[in-house]
Amino acid sequence: MLKWALIFFVISLIAGFFGFSGISAATATIARVLFGIALVIFLIFLVLALLAGQAIL
């Protein structure tokens, strides 16, 4: 998912460089949403891993 966020971010930068502000804003929003989802999933898995580690000890 981070890969897709990075791809959309690069597309946003390229579109912004060439003056396509609408496409740039849309892809930046998509990249931001995908990064947020990936961050939430990472935090959930981190908490689950910490809880599983404590359950074993």
Side-chain angles (χ1 to χ4, degrees):
M1 188 161 309
L2 285 176
K3 177 181 163 183
W4 283 104
L6 183 63
I7 289 170
F8 278 107
F9 177 69
V10 170
I11 291 172
S12 174
L13 289 177
I14 293 170
F17 178 75
F18 287 116
F20 299 108
S21 61
I23 295 173
S24 178
T27 54
T29 302
I30 293 170
R32 190 177 304 132
V33 168
L34 288 175
F35 180 75
I37 292 170
L39 186 63
V40 167
I41 291 172
F42 169 75
L43 291 174
I44 289 171
F45 281 135
L46 181 66
V47 169
L48 289 175
L50 291 174
L51 291 176
Q54 289 177 356
I56 293 173
L57 297 176

